[in-house]
Amino acid sequence: MPDRPICAILDDYQNAAFASADWSVLDGRVTLRRYETHLGDEDSVADALADCAVIVAMRERTVFSESLLRRLPKLKLLITTGMRNRSIDLVAAHALNIVVCGTGSERGSVAELGWGALIAFMRNIPEEMANFREGGPWQIGLGRTLEGRRLGVVGLGRQGRRIARFGQAFRMDVCGWTRTDQASRCETLGIEAVSLDVLFQTSDVVCIQLALTENTRGFVTAKMLSQMRPDAVFMNTARGPLVDEPALIKALQDKRIGGAVLDVFEQEPLAVDHPFRTLSNVLATPHIGYVTQENYRAYYRDVVDDIAGWLDGNPPRRLT
């Protein structure tokens, strides 16, 4: 009997993969291997996965460059959760005859997380909770309301539109900028279309919701941040590399802006000594915008379906 192909499930930090889907359809057909911690650099990944025919990548946590793919001689199927992953070199995968498939996803979790974190920042909820648990003084600060403030949304795709509608529900004055069809998108949402300069200069909250491409990497510059009001809040739950991170750190350290709400970073996992972990005017979470029960069920249900389809010679949701 031939050896069963080995399938590696990467970055299963919460030990959620097997609990989120029914894997029994693959019983006796593949050997499953789960990794609960990040494998690290390219050498570590290549060494750990050299014998794997199938790899399941969790979002963009692991970069599958051409050089890495060439070091995985047995790899035949690479699955990414979601239908887009800019950390996978699709051209190289195609040239190496590696099938790449994606999965479905739940659509509202990122915007919900961002909005919840923004409210927590504005109302000092983490500080008040910590003080409450420690038995400190009854009430220690003054929060700020969102109603009546100005929200500027940069990028009016799926998540950006949700953020804009959340702002409207909270009776904020919402303005927006996007790279394509700005006038029609803003009109559909019933928000003001403005230039980037005006958005950064006049908004109480600036929210970045762009897709990460080579054209948007480093999109938010030091100059843009310098235009923000001294009490304004910068919010990024999209992708860390959209922002000049050293410039944002400097603006926060110098208190040139009011604070930042962040769920994404230039390098992840974030270094333990990174300034974002200690700055008092930052509310940061470890890229959990998509980490929900509903999303993981959608991801791993389709992962199982992708593997079964590939074994049967007809992989669904192909990206290559």
Side-chain angles (χ1 to χ4, degrees):
M1 181 177 177
D3 292 338
R4 290 177 294 188
I6 297 173
C7 170
I9 303 165
L10 304 187
D11 297 310
D12 187 15
Y13 299 160
Q14 298 89 7
N15 192 16
F18 293 155
S20 298
D22 180 4
W23 294 76
S24 63
V25 68
L26 302 177
D27 287 351
R29 305 187 73 187
V30 296
T31 298
L32 299 173
R33 182 192 297 165
R34 186 184 68 83
Y35 292 89
E36 65 183 22
T37 57
H38 188 62
L39 288 176
D41 61 17
E42 181 175 309
D43 288 340
S44 300
V45 175
D47 290 344
L49 306 181
D51 59 344
C52 295
V54 181
I55 296 174
V56 179
M58 174 53 73
R59 302 302 298 130
E60 296 167 352
R61 293 175 184 172
T62 302
V63 176
F64 286 90
S65 61
E66 179 178 0
S67 61
L68 174 58
L69 293 173
R70 289 189 180 279
R71 298 174 67 180
L72 300 172
K74 293 190 176 182
L75 181 60
K76 302 299 180 184
L77 174 65
L78 176 58
I79 302 172
T80 175
T81 50
M83 287 300 291
R84 181 172 58 186
N85 189 327
R86 298 190 182 277
S87 292
I88 297 175
D89 189 330
L90 294 177
V91 174
H94 179 74
L96 294 167
N97 295 314
I98 299 169
V99 175
V100 181
C101 292
T103 74
S105 61
E106 188 278 324
R107 295 176 179 272
S109 58
V110 173
E112 287 183 8
L113 183 280
W115 202 255
L118 176 62
I119 293 173
F121 181 85
M122 296 293 285
R123 298 300 299 269
N124 302 319
I125 291 176
E127 295 85 356
E128 293 287 359
M129 286 182 62
N131 177 69
F132 181 85
R133 290 182 182 277
E134 292 167 2
W138 192 255
Q139 303 175 357
I140 57 173
L142 294 175
R144 292 183 288 169
T145 60
L146 292 172
E147 182 172 353
R149 298 186 186 275
R150 186 169 174 87
L151 168 67
V153 184
V154 180
L156 297 173
R158 187 174 66 193
Q159 299 299 335
R161 292 194 297 270
R162 283 192 172 91
I163 289 291
R165 292 189 179 109
F166 287 166
Q168 291 170 319
F170 277 74
R171 299 182 181 276
M172 297 184 77
D173 171 27
V174 184
C175 64
W177 179 94
T178 193
R179 291 171 295 169
T180 57
D181 302 323
Q182 177 170 324
S184 62
R185 291 192 184 196
C186 289
E187 182 179 3
T188 298
L189 287 166
I191 67 175
E192 182 183 1
V194 296
S195 68
L196 277 172
D197 286 343
V198 169
L199 187 149
F200 274 82
Q201 291 165 3
T202 65
S203 297
D204 297 294
V205 178
V206 174
C207 178
I208 305 302
Q209 287 294 344
L210 295 171
L212 179 62
T213 68
E214 287 308 310
N215 291 329
T216 59
R217 186 176 294 272
F219 183 89
V220 178
T221 63
K223 179 182 177 181
M224 290 179 185
L225 294 170
S226 71
Q227 294 177 305
M228 292 178 63
R229 296 163 53 175
D231 61 346
V233 178
F234 180 81
M235 176 177 167
N236 184 12
T237 60
R239 289 293 185 270
L242 293 169
V243 184
D244 180 340
E245 190 169 279
L248 177 58
I249 292 170
K250 189 70 165 61
L252 291 162
Q253 288 173 332
D254 294 346
K255 293 185 168 50
R256 294 201 308 268
I257 62 175
V261 173
L262 307 170
D263 187 48
V264 290
F265 311 94
E266 180 72 32
Q267 295 291 330
E268 299 180 10
L270 197 66
V272 294
D273 59 349
H274 196 285
F276 286 152
R277 291 186 182 269
T278 56
L279 282 167
S280 61
N281 52 356
V282 171
L283 189 154
T285 47
H287 203 161
I288 59 172
Y290 63 93
V291 182
T292 66
Q293 296 175 6
E294 294 80 5
N295 219 12
Y296 274 38
R297 283 197 289 266
Y299 284 165
Y300 288 115
R301 175 199 64 211
D302 286 356
V303 163
V304 174
D305 188 48
D306 287 347
I307 297 171
W310 172 73
L311 290 168
D312 294 335
N314 187 29
R317 291 174 287 274
R318 288 190 65 159
L319 302 178
T320 62

